[in-house]
Amino acid sequence: MTEPAPRAEKSEPGEDGNKPEPTLLEQMGGVSGLIYSSLPVIVFVLVNSFFGLTAAIWSAIGSAVAITVLRIVRKEPLQPAISGFFGVAIAAFIAFRTGSAKGFFLFGIWASLVYCGVFVLSIVVRWPIAGVVWNLLNGTGQAWRKDKYSRFGYDIATFALAVIFAARFVVQRWLYQEDYTGWLAFAKIAMGYPLYALGLLVVVWAVRRSDKRLKALAASAPKPETDAEVEARLREKYAQTPQTES
């Protein structure tokens, strides 16, 4: 009897030494990232409603500190927690200086306008931020900038992110002027990660579009001659050149 052919074993992600590509949710910080970014805002609004502005400010800062400590204990990346802590600290300081709960959201509102302007400017100067940041982090060089097709895709992705920041500014600025503090908190959360996820989808589309294009160009480009090929070609050329009589 012949032995049955061995079944091909399924390779587990990462067996070849490469880490599996992170999912969209993981790139956004996962579920924990959504909770961490929302918690100080929720704490601030709730405490302000029951105990006043001062208690709300210290509670928001305390929750940001607790999140940072929790990330350290769980050995999670600290960069999001640290940036989040400074964001909450700045927002709390503005709320304290203005003496108004809605001042807690003022920094984020104007930051959205600045981000929108920077993203649009990067398109105008032909250095779309989506392409610059992605290729810088992945060390893929500047080949994408030399190809109009690739750069156009990154222009679209960058413009999509600019639109997101513009929408955040317009909506939250209106809520600020109308003194809708509770709705401001809701808008900050709802227009945060969900809209960022949509923007990231456009960035992923631009990246895949550019990668496919650059691979096709690289495959169709003539291969450079080796030293041996150059020498052989020159020998053949001069061997066929007729010598003139003196």
Side-chain angles (χ1 to χ4, degrees):
M1 294 178 62
T2 58
E3 295 183 359
R7 291 181 298 177
E9 295 182 359
K10 294 182 179 180
S11 59
E12 295 296 328
E15 277 188 358
D16 56 355
N18 297 324
K19 294 182 179 179
E21 184 177 351
T23 64
L24 179 61
L25 183 61
E26 290 172 341
Q27 293 181 47
M28 295 297 296
V31 176
S32 61
L34 176 60
I35 296 173
Y36 293 155
S37 64
S38 304
L39 186 59
V41 178
I42 297 173
V43 168
F44 177 84
V45 174
L46 290 178
V47 175
N48 179 71
S49 300
F50 291 100
F51 303 103
L53 180 61
T54 302
I57 290 174
W58 287 110
S59 297
I61 294 175
S63 64
V65 172
I67 289 171
T68 304
V69 172
L70 179 62
R71 280 188 176 272
I72 294 175
V73 172
R74 299 179 61 178
K75 297 182 179 180
E76 295 178 350
L78 283 180
Q79 190 277 330
I82 293 174
S83 59
F85 171 78
F86 280 108
V88 171
I90 294 172
F93 176 76
I94 295 175
F96 172 76
R97 294 292 296 176
T98 59
S100 173
K102 67 179 185 179
F104 185 82
F105 304 95
L106 196 57
F107 175 75
I109 292 172
W110 288 105
S112 294
L113 180 61
V114 172
Y115 288 143
C116 175
V118 171
F119 276 55
V120 171
L121 180 62
S122 72
I123 297 174
V124 173
V125 299
R126 298 185 179 183
W127 282 86
I129 287 181
V132 172
V133 173
W134 179 273
N135 289 278
L136 179 64
L137 292 178
N138 290 275
T140 50
Q142 301 296 325
W144 63 275
R145 287 202 68 250
K146 300 176 183 178
D147 179 54
K148 292 183 178 180
Y149 183 88
S150 297
R151 194 173 66 235
F152 180 70
Y154 284 116
D155 283 341
I156 295 176
T158 303
F159 183 73
L161 294 172
V163 169
I164 289 173
F165 285 114
R168 292 185 62 186
F169 172 77
V170 171
V171 172
Q172 295 179 31
R173 177 64 177 169
W174 179 80
L175 292 172
Y176 179 88
Q177 291 176 331
E178 296 296 324
D179 293 327
Y180 294 143
T181 304
W183 283 107
L184 258 175
F186 175 81
K188 184 176 180 64
I189 296 171
M191 301 183 77
Y193 268 57
L195 287 186
Y196 286 146
L198 292 177
L200 187 57
L201 283 176
V202 183
V203 174
V204 171
W205 166 81
V207 169
R208 292 179 177 176
R209 184 177 187 265
S210 175
D211 287 349
K212 184 177 180 181
R213 166 75 170 184
L214 295 178
K215 287 178 181 179
L217 290 176
S220 61
K223 295 181 180 180
E225 289 182 304
T226 64
D227 292 340
E229 290 173 337
V230 172
E231 183 179 355
R233 178 171 56 81
L234 292 177
R235 286 179 180 275
E236 182 179 358
K237 175 182 177 181
Y238 288 109
Q240 294 176 354
T241 303
Q243 297 181 352
T244 57
E245 294 182 358
S246 56

